[in-house]
């Protein structure tokens, strides 16, 4: 038992070392490549998917407010960190805006999470009492309300109304989004494996039984909701940094659906599943399936149906197939483990040996 | 200050929009009543009905196109039920809802692909576009036809549900799925009828809505769809008169909010504020049935 633990640590450290070297290489030599952009976006989406999974997969609360909390995070970060010199330029219709100070990036990211938590508390207080699908629609509605409030012209001096926010500090290296996401996901894993996490799972399995076991339903649900919102806010701030501009109109419910589908692809209730799911999803939608959008000629035959938008159709059909026939997703509720990999490897070897002998 | 006729016009336009929400809301409330499923794809069925009309009317007169559009919409709705919801009958509710979101995503992407993502002009249906004047006001025929037709359809539907055998079966299934099955009701058929009715009304709604609005675009269905759902929740899910009343309330309030420039941006958000308020104080809606949580 002790040996396997030691072995797992060593394997994990080796993996981290390999990934770090790879990232540094990509960062140095192909900073502007598709690969670099996919790595950054997928890392950010991993965090967003894991934070949504914490609610939907581990606590069994079907919330669709993710885009709203991301918007709050992205806006908080952008508003707080735009350098003073640039404010006149960005807030050109509002005399340079109301805020007369700037905070460092780290403070901005933390503030993004905290402000999202405040909003989550305001939403959660009335909404968390609701049953599954009513909660879904209420949180979806909340995201729409936030989007409208941010675009209100009376708030222009702070939120720049419906105009774009830009010129705030962004990532200089692709390592940052990966490191921050990895750290946040690590914190979430610690939480899930703690007694808090066990309370979340108890609520998912059976609310009434959980209550009978002495779990305070309202309090525990709120804890899960606030934690999820915090990381959604941080993820939103990172998304803003990645895109180098923010505009409220892009945080639609379609964005929430996208993250929900990533969670489903990876497996509802699996952290590593969500991470794998977001890398696959982002790589496919941004990169590997791009060719479907251009007209292709194979063997001198022009394939007529391949044009702009075809990629997304193929993509949504794949998602539907997963939802209908492969409901467990990639990982189900299982997590990645070295033992699992080794077992699979040994099984493979044994089967091969069996084939050779027979 | 505005004249009285200005407010009357706002009220009329609110009633028109409300009628359209009502037609969509019935589809939501019936499906939810029976399957306990928020059919997220319903708004997109409404959008697809708009595109059917655009493409069909390119080759035939609108009068011929209307029945074909309605048939295609019904086919689309029932096909979605067969393919995406039926296989998940025994799955957890969250899975079915995710499947509905997946269908909505697919329909939106499909429409974007086919149209190239651009809004298309909706064909002019001559007898709906006519105008006439009463006093100082110019009124479009469609403003009058919409509420009249809606009320007619709602009355027809309510009597269908309360008078016919199929309607009785629907009520039974929405009360208790398993018992209804034991009583010899073909539950799957009843569910199909529900989708036929819902899609048909969404089709009628789409003709009226887009004639009023002038153009169709791939993402246009989502917002009216959500608002119609809120209307259904407001009225008490499963209650058809409740959904219609909720729809009119939302339509009229929206019309007044939109007319005031300083708060016009909240016209969508208002609906959701209403939703949250209703859920807080009357979780079963204004006319909803009480249900007791069972262990």
């Amino acid at each position: 038992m002790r040996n396997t633990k030691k072995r797992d640590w060593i394997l994990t450290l080796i993996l981290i070392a390999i990934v770090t070297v790879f990232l540094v290489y990509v960062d140095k030599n192909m900073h502007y490549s598709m690969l670099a952009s996919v790595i950054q976006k997928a890392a950010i989406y991993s965090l967003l998917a894991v934070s949504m999974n914490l609610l939907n997969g581990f606590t069994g609360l079907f919330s669709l407010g993710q885009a709203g909390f991301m918007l709050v995070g992205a806006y908080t970060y952008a508003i707080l960190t735009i350098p003073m010199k640039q404010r006149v330029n960005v807030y050109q219709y509002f005399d340079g805006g109301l805020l007369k100070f700037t905070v460092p990036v780290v403070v901005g990211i933390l503030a993004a999470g905290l402000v999202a938590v405040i909003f989550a508390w305001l939403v959660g207080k009335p909404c968390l009492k609701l049953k599954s699908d009513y909660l879904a629609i209420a949180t979806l509605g909340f995201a729409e309300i936030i989007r409208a409030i941010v675009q209100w012209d009376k708030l222009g001096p702070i939120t720049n109304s419906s105009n774009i926010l830009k010129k705030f500090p962004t990532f200089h290296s692709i390592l940052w989004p990966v490191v921050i996401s990895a750290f946040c996901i690590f914190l979430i894993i610690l939480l899930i494996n703690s007694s808090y996490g066990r309370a979340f799972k108890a609520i998912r399995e059976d609310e009434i039984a959980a209550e009978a076991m002495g779990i305070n339903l309202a309090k525990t649900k709120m804890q899960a909701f606030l934690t999820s919102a915090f990381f959604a806010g941080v993820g939103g701030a990172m998304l803003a940094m990645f895109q180098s501009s923010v505009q409220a109109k892009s945080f639609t419910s379609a964005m929430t659906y996208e993250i929900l589908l990533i969670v489903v692809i990876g497996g509802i209730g699996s952290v590593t599943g969500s991470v794998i799911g977001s890398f696959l999803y982002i790589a496919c939608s941004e990169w590997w399936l791009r060719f479907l959008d251009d007209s292709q000629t194979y063997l001198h035959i022009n394939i007529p149906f391949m044009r702009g938008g075809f990629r997304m159709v193929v993509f949504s059909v794949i998602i539907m197939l997963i939802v209908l026939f492969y409901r467990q997703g990639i990982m189900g509720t299982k997590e990645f483990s070295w033992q699992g990999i080794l077992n699979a490897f040994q099984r493979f070897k044994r089967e091969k040996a069996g084939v050779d002998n027979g | 200050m505005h004249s009285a006729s200005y407010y009357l016009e706002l009220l009329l336009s609110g009633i028109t929009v409300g009628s359209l929400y009502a037609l969509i809301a019935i589809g939501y409330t019936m499906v939810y009543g029976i399957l306990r499923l928020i059919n997220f794809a319903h708004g997109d069925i409404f959008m697809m009905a708009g595109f059917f009309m655009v493409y069909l009317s390119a080759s035939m007169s609108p009068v011929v196109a209307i029945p074909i559009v309605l048939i295609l919409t019904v086919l689309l709705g029932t096909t979605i039920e067969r393919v995406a919801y039926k296989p998940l009958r025994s799955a957890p509710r969250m899975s079915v809802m995710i499947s509905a979101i997946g269908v909505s995503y697919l329909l939106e992407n499909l429409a974007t692909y086919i149209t190239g993502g651009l809004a298309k002009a909706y064909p002019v249906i001559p007898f709906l576009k006519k105008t006439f004047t009463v006093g100082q006001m110019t009124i479009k025929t469609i403003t009058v036809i919409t509420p009249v037709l809606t009320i007619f359809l709602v009355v027809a539907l309510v009597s269908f549900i309360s008078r016919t055998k199929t309607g009785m079966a629907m009520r039974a299934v929405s009360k208790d799925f398993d018992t209804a099955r034991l009583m010899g009701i073909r539950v799957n058929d009843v569910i199909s009828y529900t989708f036929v009715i819902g899609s048909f009304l969404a089709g009628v709604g789409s003709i009226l809505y887009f004639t009023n609005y002038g153009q169709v675009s791939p993402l246009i269905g989502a917002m009216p769809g959500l608002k119609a759902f809120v209307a259904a929740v407001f009225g008490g899910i499963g209650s058809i008169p409740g959904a219609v009343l909720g729809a009119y309330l939302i339509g009229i309030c929206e019309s007044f909010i939109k007319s005031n420039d300083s708060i016009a941006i909240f016209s969508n958000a208002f609906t959701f504020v209403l939703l949250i308020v209703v859920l807080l104080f009357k979780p079963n809606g204004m006319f909803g049935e009480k249900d007791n949580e069972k262990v």
Side-chain angles (χ1 to χ4, degrees), chain A residues 62 133 152 281 305 307 327, chain B residues 32 91 93 97 105 113 262:
Chain A
F62 196 47
D133 17 16
W152 193 23
Y281 185 94
F305 49 79
R307 56 183 157 86
R327 231 184 311 145
Chain B
Y32 193 92
R93 260 161 78 185
M97 201 145 48
Y105 195 61
Y113 167 64
S262 65

Side-chain angles (χ1 to χ4, degrees), chain A residues 260-315:
Chain A
L260 176 69
L261 293 173
I262 290 178
V263 173
V264 173
I265 292 171
I268 299 177
S270 166
V271 172
T272 37
S274 292
V275 176
I276 296 170
S278 38
F279 273 87
L280 273 180
Y281 185 94
I282 299 294
C284 286
S285 71
E286 306 268 315
W287 190 12
W288 295 341
L289 292 181
R290 272 276 172 213
F291 71 93
L292 291 172
D293 270 4
D294 310 314
S295 60
Q296 304 274 327
T297 314
Y298 289 117
L299 308 166
H300 303 290
I301 302 165
N302 194 20
I303 301 172
F305 49 79
M306 282 198 185
R307 56 183 157 86
F310 188 60
R311 171 179 58 113
M312 291 315 287
V313 175
V314 172
F315 208 57

